Amino acid sequence: MKHSLPLAALLLASSFVPAVPALAAETGSEMIQPVEAADASELLAPIPPAVQKSMDRLFALQPELKKLHIVTSGTSERDGKFFVHLSNRLPEAEREQRGESSAYLEFDGKTGELLSFNLQLLEWASEKNPSRQLAFEAAERFLTQWFGAENRQQFGEPRLSGGSGSAIHHEDGTKTEWSERHVDFPLMLNGLPILYEGPQLGIDAFGHVVSYTYRPVDLDKVSAPKPDTAKSVEEIKQKIATADSLELNYVEAQPEKYSSHPYSEQKTKPVLKYDFLGYTYLHPENGKPIDILSGEEWRKDKDSSVSKKEITLNPQGQSLIVRSEEEAKQTLAKLFGVEQFISQLRRSEHFMTEEENSPYQSYNFETEDPRITLHAMVEKKTGRVQSASWSMYTEKEQEANATMATKEQALDTALAFLEKYAGPTAKHIQWTDFIWKELEPPAWVDKSKLSPEMMASGPNEYWFSFYELHEGIPVQDRSYSVTVDKRTGKVSGFSFAAPRDELNLPDAQNIVTKEQALKTFLKNKPLKLQYIWPRYMDQRAPSPILIYAWGHSEEYGYVDALTGQYVTVPMEWDEE
């Protein structure tokens, strides 16, 4: 059986201050007993009175928590947060068969303010999602109960912001699943929402609130620009009306709607479309792109750049086919040059298991010393390896490979690999080169609070992204990526589009102009005045900044290059 534990659990295990034996925590008339173990006192710290007060309120709203026992509690040395982990502590045999219920709570260690919780209760398990209406109603009810009707008014109207899920896989091949939809409530300032600030609640199929996160802030101590300092939406749209904001793309299989189930069958069609690539955040007075960390105008030469280059290939179309675990092990070891470790490779359970209706089979292997991992996703019908990766770590190897491969050398390696395995339609590809310059922390950041890990250098791999070109136009769903290890100069991973003999795509001769498409976009895309609160690592700027941002939408929109019409592609949510 494998558990996927929330991050709080990992932090909890590594960040306690030394603890003294703890008293049981009371919730109303019931007692939550600590786990019965000889060394329990080493895992339990006394619950501060302010935290206990918040726990009492939470347990009143979530009475199911009273059925659980405190397993660990303690204070994080890094930020002073107080964590509590609870479980139903089933007998070993039953736990192996069913798993166990658990909850992770996080509080401000000084004020006792509830910062987050995550509940995973066996009796609430379901792979289904709540309807939109149920999610909104349950989230609104909890928020009003927790903050009170008056304090609820500090937050704006709710919006859906995706979802998440988790599962426990049992030894008999069955699994227990949980799924939730997320509802956000924006914090309001001067009548405007502050983006990404405010409570987020997770609601399950039964209307239970199963997760919550919010970092409170006192807006009375905040000084921010007033909305009346901004230009009107019409003025800003005129300032940003440039055809450079659009990109022409093909899509081989454009869905008519997106489903919350990633592998459900969808009706699709080939399209030629304009995508809007306008900057996300704009200065409220001049419409220029804004750096949300500093609040200053964003400059390409300051932070990063993106360049695109057309490349001609002679694709050989070699196949990577595996139809069994043993064949996957042999193929991956040979592909990545680690055949000498085949006898040591064992099945790994550290990767998520694929969905039952997934068209892919996952193969995962690992060794202990040296630490090697191999991973592949394979099409079940054809046995074709769609993606794969590997990594190896030893201290000696790291020291021995101090000389790094250059980006140019790595690109040659990636192209040679791509040419070997790409299908016949990949004769002309576009390489998108992303250059990310190392950012200096903004002036408001307290550098003394930045740990060496936070300031660590970038990844140990070069990542290369390619699109097939058709009539000189990128095909978005004919993409390829290759990663190359900087230390060894060898391919460390890839993801390839399925090979095709030919592409059936619309003719690009008679299409609307970029200028016409831009007018259609600006007519249909809402631009809204909002605030955003700059963050760097775990630090927040002294105050929010005023910006224009494109309005949140649960639909994706594009302009059909053949008709000039604005097309919306809705997200189809489950409505159980």
Side-chain angles (χ1 to χ4, degrees):
M1 180 181 70
K2 177 189 173 187
H3 293 262
S4 298
L5 296 179
L7 177 59
L10 302 178
L11 293 174
L12 195 63
S14 61
S15 59
F16 292 138
V17 296
V20 297
L23 300 175
E26 294 190 21
T27 58
S29 60
E30 301 188 29
M31 297 281 287
I32 303 179
Q33 299 295 335
V35 60
E36 295 179 4
D39 59 350
S41 63
E42 297 180 6
L43 299 176
L44 290 163
I47 297 176
V51 171
Q52 184 65 64
K53 185 176 180 180
S54 290
M55 285 182 64
D56 290 342
R57 292 186 59 219
L58 179 61
F59 278 56
L61 292 179
Q62 302 277 35
E64 290 79 10
L65 286 169
K66 297 178 181 180
K67 303 175 184 178
L68 307 181
H69 307 282
I70 296 178
V71 179
T72 49
S73 61
T75 302
S76 168
E77 293 180 335
R78 184 171 63 86
D79 53 22
K81 294 173 185 174
F82 194 87
F83 296 95
V84 180
H85 167 209
L86 304 101
S87 169
N88 60 349
R89 305 302 297 175
L90 296 173
E92 182 67 25
E94 190 175 356
R95 189 159 65 246
E96 287 295 325
Q97 181 181 2
R98 300 176 54 209
E100 62 184 18
S101 295
S102 62
Y104 297 88
L105 318 178
E106 179 188 35
F107 304 87
D108 184 300
K110 293 182 179 179
T111 67
E113 185 81 36
L114 175 66
L115 303 179
S116 69
F117 66 75
N118 187 292
L119 312 182
Q120 190 166 284
L121 306 183
L122 291 174
E123 57 267 37
W124 290 356
S126 174
E127 76 281 5
K128 296 182 178 181
N129 282 312
S131 67
R132 176 194 304 268
Q133 180 177 351
L134 179 59
F136 280 156
E137 289 177 352
E140 181 68 53
R141 182 169 55 252
F142 181 90
L143 198 72
T144 302
Q145 290 174 332
W146 186 256
F147 287 97
E150 183 176 349
N151 288 330
R152 158 64 182 92
Q153 302 309 312
Q154 65 185 304
F155 308 114
E157 294 300 310
R159 70 173 193 177
L160 293 175
S161 58
S164 61
S166 61
I168 295 176
H169 296 269
H170 307 292
E171 292 182 349
D172 62 0
T174 62
K175 61 181 177 180
T176 303
E177 296 182 80
W178 292 266
S179 186
E180 62 187 80
R181 293 178 79 170
H182 296 157
V183 179
D184 288 354
F185 293 84
L187 183 64
M188 303 297 289
L189 176 63
N190 296 326
L192 299 177
I194 307 177
L195 288 178
Y196 314 118
E197 296 287 343
Q200 182 186 82
L201 289 79
I203 313 299
D204 70 7
F206 310 106
H208 301 128
V209 179
V210 294
S211 67
Y212 167 91
T213 180
Y214 177 53
R215 299 294 187 265
V217 61
D218 186 357
L219 292 180
D220 292 335
K221 300 179 180 179
V222 168
S223 175
K226 301 294 184 182
D228 58 12
T229 62
K231 300 291 185 182
S232 69
V233 172
E234 292 71 23
E235 289 179 280
I236 295 297
K237 283 190 173 183
Q238 288 300 318
K239 291 178 181 294
I240 62 175
T242 166
D244 291 338
S245 298
L246 298 186
E247 185 176 74
L248 186 63
N249 293 294
Y250 278 112
V251 175
E252 186 181 19
Q254 173 63 53
E256 292 186 356
K257 58 186 176 184
Y258 293 110
S259 172
S260 57
H261 296 290
Y263 303 118
S264 61
E265 291 188 10
Q266 292 289 324
K267 188 175 181 180
T268 65
K269 62 179 180 180
V271 300
L272 178 59
K273 63 189 180 70
Y274 283 108
D275 285 309
F276 186 75
L277 303 178
Y279 292 100
T280 304
Y281 307 117
L282 305 174
H283 196 285
E285 297 179 34
N286 57 34
K288 293 183 178 180
I290 194 169
D291 180 346
I292 60 169
L293 289 180
S294 65
E296 300 173 352
E297 181 183 338
W298 185 83
R299 302 192 309 273
K300 287 184 178 181
D301 61 344
K302 173 186 175 185
D303 297 325
S304 62
S305 63
V306 178
S307 62
K308 298 177 180 180
K309 180 180 179 181
E310 185 173 339
I311 297 172
T312 300
L313 287 183
N314 181 26
Q316 301 171 24
Q318 294 189 29
S319 298
L320 286 170
I321 305 294
V322 300
R323 298 189 182 277
S324 67
E325 185 174 282
E326 182 59 30
E327 194 173 359
K329 183 191 299 182
Q330 297 285 339
T331 300
L332 293 176
K334 182 178 179 181
L335 179 68
F336 293 122
V338 291
E339 299 99 318
Q340 67 271 34
F341 298 106
I342 287 180
S343 62
Q344 302 176 40
L345 288 168
R346 299 291 182 268
R347 181 190 299 179
S348 171
E349 301 294 341
H350 288 74
F351 289 86
M352 290 295 292
T353 304
E354 68 277 356
E355 297 288 335
E356 291 180 2
N357 62 338
S358 167
Y360 300 103
Q361 172 69 47
S362 174
Y363 293 104
N364 310 294
F365 307 97
E366 64 182 354
T367 63
E368 292 184 1
D369 187 22
R371 172 69 175 166
I372 296 175
T373 61
L374 294 171
H375 169 68
M377 292 293 287
V378 178
E379 286 184 343
K380 291 177 180 178
K381 288 185 177 180
T382 65
R384 184 186 70 89
V385 180
Q386 187 267 341
S387 65
S389 62
W390 85 288
S391 64
M392 179 169 70
Y393 174 79
T394 65
E395 292 184 3
K396 290 183 179 179
E397 183 207 22
Q398 206 170 36
E399 293 172 0
N401 291 281
T403 302
M404 297 287 193
T406 66
K407 189 171 186 177
E408 291 73 19
Q409 292 170 332
L411 175 61
D412 290 340
T413 299
L415 289 173
F417 186 86
L418 177 59
E419 192 169 53
K420 187 175 182 179
Y421 295 107
T425 57
K427 295 179 180 179
H428 301 283
I429 61 173
Q430 179 180 275
W431 170 42
T432 303
D433 184 19
F434 298 94
I435 301 175
W436 304 107
K437 296 184 179 179
E438 190 170 337
L439 296 176
E440 284 293 321
W444 51 263
V445 170
D446 184 348
K447 297 183 177 62
S448 66
K449 295 181 179 179
L450 299 177
S451 66
E453 292 77 14
M454 292 178 176
M455 302 299 291
S457 57
N460 290 323
E461 294 176 320
Y462 293 109
W463 180 72
F464 300 100
S465 174
F466 309 94
Y467 287 102
E468 286 189 25
L469 294 173
H470 181 76
E471 298 183 8
I473 300 170
V475 186
Q476 287 186 330
D477 44 3
R478 304 294 305 165
S479 64
Y480 305 82
S481 67
V482 182
T483 56
V484 177
D485 191 295
K486 291 181 179 179
R487 300 163 296 176
T488 66
K490 296 180 180 180
V491 172
S492 56
F494 67 90
S495 178
F496 285 176
R500 297 277 189 273
D501 291 330
E502 60 182 15
L503 299 180
N504 181 21
L505 295 168
D507 192 341
Q509 293 302 311
N510 299 309
I511 61 175
V512 299
T513 65
K514 280 190 173 183
E515 290 73 18
Q516 291 172 311
L518 180 62
K519 290 181 180 179
T520 302
F521 266 116
L522 295 179
K523 181 180 178 181
N524 287 275
K525 286 184 69 67
L527 189 63
K528 296 184 177 181
L529 191 62
Q530 303 172 73
Y531 288 102
I532 193 166
W533 207 315
R535 290 177 180 270
Y536 188 88
M537 303 299 180
D538 59 352
Q539 296 186 45
R540 183 159 48 187
S543 61
I545 59 177
L546 189 64
I547 59 166
Y548 270 108
W550 299 104
H552 171 76
S553 175
E554 294 176 26
E555 297 179 329
Y556 159 66
Y558 65 88
V559 171
D560 188 310
L562 302 179
T563 67
Q565 299 296 310
Y566 189 78
V567 180
T568 59
V569 186
M571 167 63 79
E572 181 187 55
W573 288 98
D574 296 328
E575 293 298 332
E576 288 90 348

